[in-house]
Amino acid sequence: MKSKTADDINKIKQTVIERNKSNKSTKVYVHMGTCGIASGAIDVLNTLRKEVKDNKITDVKIITTGCAGICSKEPLITVEVQEQEPVMYQCVDTKKMSEIFKSHVLDKKVLKDYAFARGMEIQIKDRIKNNGKIEGQAAIDNSIPGIEEIPFFKFQEQRVMRNRGFIDPNKIDDYIARDGYQGAIKALTSMTSDKIISEVYDSGIKGRGGAGFPTGLKWKFAAKEENSIKYVLCNADEGDPGAYMDRSVLESDPHSIIEGMIIAAKAIGSHMGYIYCRAEYPLAVETLNKAIKAARTYGLLGKDILGTGFEFDIEVYEGAGAFVCGEETALMRSIEGSRGNPRPRPPYPAHAGLREKPTILNNVETLSNIPQIIAKGSKWFSNIGTEKSKGTKVFSITGDINNVGCVEVPIGTKLSTVINEIGGGITEGKTFKAAQLGGPSGGMIPIEHIDVVMDYDTLISLGSIMGSGGLIVMSDDKSALEMAEFFMDFCKEESCGKCIPGREGTKQMLNILNRLCDGKGKQGDIEKLENLAFVIKNTALCALGKTAPNPVLSTLRYFRNEYEDAISNNI
Amino acid sequence: MIISLRSISYDDLKNQLSKDDKIVINSCNTCIKSCGIGGLQNMTVLENMLLADGYNVLGIDLISIGCSLNLVEYHRQDIKKKEMYDEATVIITLICEDGYEGMKYVFKDKKVISITKTLGTGNFTMDRGVVLTHPFESTGLEKNSEGYELDEVAEKLGLFEDFFDEDDAAFKDEEYVDIIIDGEEVSAIKNQNLLCVCEENGIEIPHLCYNEELSEAGVCRLCLVKIEGRKDLVPACCTHVEEGMKITTNDEQLNKYRRIILELIMASQNHNCLTCSKGIPTPLYNCELQRLIRQFGIEKSRFDENNEFMPVDNSSPVIVHDPNKCILCGRCVRACEEIAGICNIGFINRGSETVVAAGLNVDMNQSDCAACMACVNACPTGALTEKVIHFTGKDWEPQKVYCEQM
Ligand SMILES: Cc1cc2nc3c(=O)[nH]c(=O)nc-3n(C[C@H](O)[C@H](O)[C@H](O)COP(=O)(O)O)c2cc1C
Ligand code: SF4
Ligand code: SF4
């Protein structure tokens, strides 16, 4: 089949927009990420379908989307009656669904008791501009808060997540209608490889997978290599406990990743890419595969992308559940079919990566930022953020916090904003103790630093890291020592077993932590921990080992008294 | 052990070659290596000689038991070597005559050149090296329980007592780089392995996972050194020298790390030297771990010792696998893959649960083990040992100690 050209894509975009405008049906969005499904979204969807069928209505359009962000209120649905404000309902179950259907869909009467917000997330900017109104949409009961008034949404900045809760991830046309593939069109039809790389470099984007390496630089190294075979890889292994940002993007906007990879491929001169997605994300794998298939039918992947003659294709590779396979060299070994063990670098993947060919590996979030950087320009991207770190960062907030969910905020947002405003404070009215950022490789930010501006460098200076975005909140009745024990246990279990500091050092650190947590600490244990931490940090083979002592070091920095108590109580 | 000697001169060899030939050199790693005319080092010497004289050498390949047709066939089919063997037109093989027949069978489509004559069987002695005890009739030598030393045999039979002499080939023009190791200026061949360069210059760096016959792994972290301008410590065994490198191989910090790593190893398993059979006084069997622990003067690990006992695998007729003494250096795994060409043993499990296992985690005698001993020869500890050496002696048994008079 002939590939669609840039004009064809633009035509599709117009048609879809027109069609949506002229469609007078009532729209019901069911937000169905894995999180939604786990809390019962499938039953809700089935009830909705049954109601539609039983009532023999034809002017209702059901749209299934990815996660809408605020996971603790799920299942969530949004009902949009034509020419009226949409309304989001929270904690819906089958019974509520039937009621909402009868009242709001059939009788066009909003069911205030179950309502969560007026408006949709994608309208926030317009609503703020127009004093909470959207042109052509009649305002309804204003005792329901407008979505722009809800702190969880108000303080966010949607870029990576801009399509969540709105498009159907399985419909490529939905993505195209939201300016999808415009970045790819621009990159493939009017930009040279150098131009793409300098645009990405100028934007200042750093890798969102944890290490924070400048993406433009990484691409430049790979572009310089002369080799007819190069690979573009996407890291969707997301193994940090408590992290699910990438899953949310994969499930709600898979085409943004595909588009990012196409642009990366053009930039470095690659013709084959892999998305390494953990098998524990079956929905993400399914969504990705469907998206890749759809992109192939449109000729957005394949031999002649957009009729420009550029060739690139993507395959999804399912990881078998090892955290260490998120490490770049281990990930590549795993795709090659070997045991996923890291190897010493250099050689760096940009020179000899997958199958010893030049390779770039980027995180899901990094790649899904790319299309907009290309389409809107590096200046647009860097207009938010701090001096040294640009753009937004997605965090998944979990733990003792009221609003559990995925949030995207400008880099440089204060931790207190995330905890108290967006997160809605600590559960059961308790007080905040500390937040763990960066999972097992990261560190804690205690209450005295709650006003820290979150960017890469500031967090490092406090002994933590930006990490991949996992943010675990602890209330003051939790033990920091136990948190450190948990992460050390994780690292010990998940180390590949190859290098001695990583394998035996973590085990010995865990032995001491176990002892301390059982109240059986010995004199000298703290010094031993510090000693081991230092050795492991400096000698381990890969970043898993090198960063494994971080939670211990950080809790020793801020909560040393807990360690000391564990020893003195035993003497 | 089969005893062979070199039967052709370097000129004889060259006469059989043309500059258009695409040459692969392979060698058996068993008897012929002990006779001093096989093994990795000699292959490398020959490769360099031929390259210097303008021949096209595609590569070299070490085979644990070259007279096993199966193993040779595995090597030919190995994904990493297949391309090289397929392209080759000539195989120069360092192997006994028996093995040569096998090579000709496997590489029917190629010209196979042997450089040896096989003379009988013999064994290795500590004081006289390899001796020929049971010469073939064709050699005209009498049976002699004392055995003949190889130089004697060579002279009697008009053969060569050692391998080709590098001076017979043209001078190989290598690119040299100047580096500084611990303050001393050293000149080394560009891209040479740093650990080897250090050793050649008399600087010993502790290491356990590196073995020059095997690929580099960088897992034991003992050979970490400092290189000026690099943020992290780097493993010398995985580093290749470049112009101007400034290397520190030994300082207080590095030694502290090495000491702690050794103590971690000691604590990790049950390293009980009293019941270990490694340490027999032959060049092959010497516990590298024990040597390092003594060198660092470590008496006891400061860490909690692991007292779990894992069953010893005694099932193989020739190999004893004692996982309690394994340090997971991976040398056996690499040897079985690269030298045996079988991939019979590998790691299973993850983290501190990792162990080396044969086949799909079965006893050694249930696996595809070819009993080639590549893994045993590679193992630096007493985890994989040859069955026959068990309970035969120790090299650390009583020695005379002289005390200076006070
Ligand atoms: C043990 C370990 C696990 C990792 N897991 C992930 C992961 O799940 N997802 C990810 O994107 N990066 C992960 N990383 C980081 C990657 O190695 C790599 O730095 C990143 O994918 C590069 O992409 P970026 O430059 O876009 O951030 C992990 C690193 C380590 C050491
Ligand atoms: S397990 Fe050891 S003896 Fe058996 S084939 Fe592999 S290397 Fe040879
Ligand atoms: S058995 Fe020996 S060679 Fe194999 S991993 Fe263990 S110590 Fe290393």
Side-chain angles (χ1 to χ4, degrees), chain B residues 208-209 271 278 321-323 325-334 345 347 355-356 375-376 378-384:
Chain B
L208 284 169
C209 72
H271 292 288
K278 195 82 173 186
H321 176 209
D322 181 354
K325 299 199 173 77
C326 174
I327 60 168
L328 300 171
C329 65
R331 272 158 66 162
C332 56
V333 176
R334 281 174 279 147
I345 46 181
F347 291 118
V355 282
V356 168
C375 55
V376 173
C379 181
T381 71
L384 282 166

Side-chain angles (χ1 to χ4, degrees), chain B residues 83-124:
Chain B
E83 210 174 298
M84 171 180 90
Y85 273 125
D86 284 352
E87 199 187 337
T89 54
V90 172
I91 310 278
I92 302 177
T93 180
L94 316 184
I95 200 165
C96 65
E97 283 184 61
D98 204 14
Y100 174 50
E101 293 305 318
M103 285 288 168
K104 280 196 286 192
Y105 180 79
V106 174
F107 296 103
K108 279 192 201 82
D109 52 331
K110 306 181 199 301
K111 181 166 161 186
V112 184
I113 302 174
S114 164
I115 64 155
T116 62
K117 180 150 185 62
T118 298
L119 309 163
T121 60
N123 49 42
F124 181 82

Side-chain angles (χ1 to χ4, degrees), chain A residues 35 39 67-76 152 244 247 404-406:
Chain A
C35 39
S39 35
C67 166
I70 186 156
C71 307
S72 46
K73 305 273 190 266
E74 277 171 333
L76 286 157
F152 181 85
Y244 51 90
R247 195 202 69 219
V404 169
C406 246

Side-chain angles (χ1 to χ4, degrees), chain A residues 205-215 218-219 233-240 243 245-246 276 278 322-331 342 345 360-367 440-441 456 467-468 490-491 494-495 542-547:
Chain A
I205 185 170
K206 296 183 189 176
R208 302 296 195 232
F213 191 81
T215 306
K218 192 186 270 188
W219 291 15
L233 309 184
C234 169
N235 192 341
D237 194 45
E238 200 165 49
D240 285 20
M245 316 68 57
D246 293 348
Y276 189 90
R278 61 193 315 219
F323 172 61
V324 73
C325 284
E327 196 278 340
E328 54 182 17
T329 56
L331 185 147
R345 298 174 306 176
I360 53 169
L361 170 71
N362 278 118
N363 165 263
V364 167
E365 193 184 329
T366 317
L367 285 167
S441 321
Y456 287 85
S468 58
F490 181 82
C491 289
E494 293 294 334
S495 96
C542 80
L544 187 154
K546 282 191 207 299
T547 57

